[in-house]
Amino acid sequence: MKLQHLEYVIAIAQEGSVTRAAKKLYQAQPNISIALKELEENIGIQIFIRTPNGMILTPEGEAFLARARSIVDEVHSLENDYKEHVGNNTTLKVAMSRSPYSAASIGHLINNSKFSEGSNLTVHLLETNTPKALEDVCAGKFDIGVLRTPVSYLDMLNERIRNKNLISKTIMEYQLALMMREDHPLAKYDDVPVELLKDYPEVIHGDDEPEMLRRASINQELHIETSGRKIYIYDRGTQISMLSTVIGAYMWVTPVPASVLAPLKLVVRKCSYAKNLNRDIIVFRKSSENDPLIQECIKTITWFANRIDEDIKKE
């Protein structure tokens, strides 16, 4: 059994077919099919049932997949932790749920970190959703994850964090607010009446805001009458562009520093209808606990969040 065989099984399970798995892994389809057949023969179980609609895991396959994921994640984590640094090269990789303040805090780190002086600091930032950020940190692909969750989902998320043997630290708790152009008709309100949203188009995260999550993040009794005009976007740059250019557009957002919004001519307004608490959490691997750069990054993100939290309380 090879590590590559485990990666094949994981990809097939994720994609639902050998063909799509082959494309994802940039492998020839026959090679994966042959490897899967040999693996099943060697371990004496059938991992997948072949159906006209794709590959379906057997009960034994489900158990095998869980162990395969654990092994592959550990190997990737090990590779990342013991990766040799060449000369003065330093690398920091951060995966974050879409959050302007955490991205801005990394900018502050780059500008002020001692690691930026006399070394080649390379920073990788990935804006994604919470499940992907969590998986990437566990797999060793990223050093730090900044996760966002409704407080009502917190126990479930904490269990996943413990199962993945990660360390977590709370950054801040908050209610979502509304972001819009500074000349938006609703920008005149300090507390936007929710019933007025029905007249305006909404910009929505396309890959991580199913209705259940939206309810948990905003208000469990979510019954906002909308205009029916919704714009689903998958990257924050385009989201900002839509808010800036689409007349009357608004979006539910996490806390955002005013310094980030001002150049974009955007503002954030409170909406008391958003009653539910959300929490941002930093996660990292135990092997990174004493890494000076990782600790400085965590300290900077936390400091940035505290500054925003204090500004909100002053309002």
Side-chain angles (χ1 to χ4, degrees), residues 91-97 99-113 116 121-127 142-146 171 236 257 260 282 293-305 307-308:
T91 301
L92 175 67
K93 297 183 178 181
V94 182
M96 60 183 69
S97 298
S99 170
Y101 84 80
S102 50
S105 69
I106 300 302
H108 180 84
L109 175 71
I110 294 170
N111 289 334
N112 298 283
S113 174
S116 296
L121 175 62
T122 302
V123 177
H124 297 260
L125 292 181
L126 172 67
E127 285 201 328
F142 284 80
D143 303 306
I144 292 174
V146 181
I171 309 173
R236 189 161 59 88
V260 173
I282 292 177
L293 178 57
I294 301 300
Q295 290 306 311
E296 184 175 354
C297 181
I298 293 169
K299 182 179 178 181
T300 301
I301 294 174
T302 304
W303 170 81
F304 222 86
R307 193 178 72 173
I308 296 170

